[in-house]
Amino acid sequence: MFNNEGLKFELTDLLKLCKIMKLISKLRLWKSSIITICLMIIVSFFVFQGCEKDEYELIDELDEAILNSSELEEYIIAGADLQQSLAIFKSKLNKIDFSKLEVTYDAEGKKVVHFSSGLVGNIRIEEKVQIFNDKKQALQKKFPQFVSFRETETDKYFQKSIENSVNVKGGLLKLGINFSIPKLKSGTETWGGAEDEYSMKVFLHDWCNEEDYVELAIYYYEDGTFGTYQFAGATSSNVDVQYYPGSDGKIYFPPGGSSSAIISIGHTHLNSSTPGTKDLTNRIPGVTEFIYYNWGMYYY
């Protein structure tokens, strides 16, 4: 026991006091650390927001000359028309009973399968392909920088043009396309709503930087279904179609049919049913081939 001018305290009390002082010191250090961490989080948040804002502002700085150009407007309308027409064309093909179609043979004995125009929705799909390619090339020629834009940037141009251009709105409405309202019924023959708008903008972006004219490839499968595809590199003089060989000696390409083997592969021609030189030399093994022209499949 200590006695100093009347103040008494036990040794155990002194030890308790020391523990309390240590605890206070630790709390101060912990509090300082917490403050430091919070400050780091706050600073990081504002730095991130600043970077994000800069990126957003970069994307949002659109070239008014491009945005207000007839080339961009016509490209959007032609792309929407082609994409919708492809969906209708494919849907119509898959409803046709080929056993009831007219089949003739030319002077060389080559088969020709004739469609009536109504069977495929009165659509000359090869014309739609041609118009889209023409509008794409006009946009590329007028604004060559557009082809190097990222998808986030082209999306802004397409979105603002769809929202603000009277010509684009009118052109889409003529096609029966209204993205501001949901679809009234399901199916590929009806267009509208956010899902189709997103699909169209991706389609437009994917093809805006392709320099070549791109034809339409048509696959006919063993299960009687059709698939339609556009491949980069499939030009007016060379159809670079895609497929892979199966272990059964047949060739396949998903998502046609139920992963069914391919029987025939064709592609569109605008002005003639005659195959080109590369069509004849670059034959695809294991299938028959045809030119699709003016509602007919011309085998060669």
Side-chain angles (χ1 to χ4, degrees):
M1 178 187 298
F2 296 89
N3 188 340
N4 185 11
E5 297 180 356
L7 180 62
K8 298 179 180 180
F9 52 89
E10 300 285 347
L11 181 60
T12 54
D13 293 330
L14 182 60
L15 293 173
K16 289 179 180 179
L17 180 61
C18 289
K19 289 181 178 180
I20 291 171
M21 295 300 294
K22 287 182 180 180
L23 178 60
I24 291 173
S25 177
K26 289 182 179 180
L27 287 173
R28 285 175 177 171
L29 179 61
W30 177 80
K31 183 178 180 181
S32 176
S33 299
I34 291 296
I35 292 173
T36 301
I37 292 171
C38 290
L39 287 172
M40 290 175 65
I41 292 173
I42 292 171
V43 170
S44 299
F45 174 79
F46 282 106
V47 169
F48 174 77
Q49 287 295 315
C51 294
E52 185 178 45
K53 184 177 180 181
D54 289 343
E55 174 71 9
Y56 179 81
E57 288 177 348
L58 175 64
I59 294 171
D60 205 41
E61 293 174 358
L62 303 183
D63 187 327
E64 293 294 325
I66 298 176
L67 184 61
N68 298 322
S69 68
S70 60
E71 286 81 7
L72 179 64
E73 293 174 338
E74 291 172 5
Y75 177 71
I76 292 173
I77 295 169
D81 189 14
L82 175 58
Q83 194 182 23
Q84 179 180 238
S85 297
L86 288 172
I88 296 172
F89 180 71
K90 180 179 176 180
S91 174
K92 295 290 186 181
L93 279 178
N94 284 311
K95 294 176 181 178
I96 293 174
D97 182 353
F98 274 72
S99 66
K100 297 181 180 179
L101 294 181
E102 178 189 3
V103 178
T104 61
Y105 294 86
D106 63 16
E108 298 178 357
K110 295 176 182 176
K111 184 171 71 171
V112 182
V113 178
H114 301 273
F115 299 85
S116 66
S117 60
L119 289 176
V120 286
N122 203 26
I123 294 173
R124 278 205 69 194
I125 197 66
E126 60 270 40
E127 288 184 349
K128 304 289 187 180
V129 172
Q130 177 70 52
I131 293 170
F132 178 64
N133 278 280
D134 289 345
K135 300 304 181 183
K136 175 185 67 177
Q137 290 169 353
L139 179 63
Q140 292 170 334
K141 183 178 180 180
K142 183 72 173 289
F143 304 106
Q145 69 272 32
F146 192 82
V147 303
S148 63
F149 289 167
R150 297 166 297 175
E151 186 173 337
T152 50
E153 292 173 302
T154 60
D155 181 87
K156 288 286 185 181
Y157 281 96
F158 299 146
Q159 184 64 44
K160 285 187 176 293
S161 187
I162 291 169
E163 291 176 350
N164 301 325
S165 169
V166 174
N167 293 332
V168 171
K169 287 182 179 179
L172 295 179
L173 287 174
K174 286 181 181 179
L175 298 172
I177 300 172
N178 188 349
F179 294 131
S180 64
I181 58 173
K183 290 184 179 182
L184 298 178
K185 60 179 181 179
S186 61
T188 57
E189 296 179 32
T190 304
W191 267 56
E195 183 179 345
D196 284 333
E197 182 180 356
Y198 172 78
S199 174
M200 186 197 75
K201 288 187 291 185
V202 172
F203 179 85
L204 292 171
H205 171 78
D206 286 347
W207 289 108
C208 68
N209 60 356
E210 288 295 330
E211 296 181 1
D212 292 323
Y213 172 90
V214 178
E215 292 181 330
L216 177 68
I218 303 171
Y219 287 29
Y220 182 43
Y221 296 93
E222 279 188 347
D223 65 1
T225 60
F226 282 86
T228 59
Y229 309 95
Q230 285 179 287
F231 300 115
T235 70
S236 57
S237 61
N238 181 39
V239 179
D240 186 19
V241 298
Q242 298 178 16
Y243 58 87
Y244 64 89
S247 58
D248 55 1
K250 300 177 181 180
I251 65 171
Y252 296 82
F253 183 78
S258 302
S259 297
S260 182
I262 299 168
I263 297 176
S264 300
I265 296 179
H267 63 276
T268 55
H269 274 194
L270 179 65
N271 298 314
S272 171
S273 61
T274 304
T277 302
K278 290 187 177 180
D279 294 333
L280 296 172
T281 56
N282 298 337
R283 303 304 294 262
I284 302 170
V287 301
T288 57
E289 296 179 71
F290 62 89
I291 302 298
Y292 182 88
Y293 167 73
N294 199 25
W295 298 301
M297 298 164 66
Y298 294 80
Y299 287 83
Y300 59 92

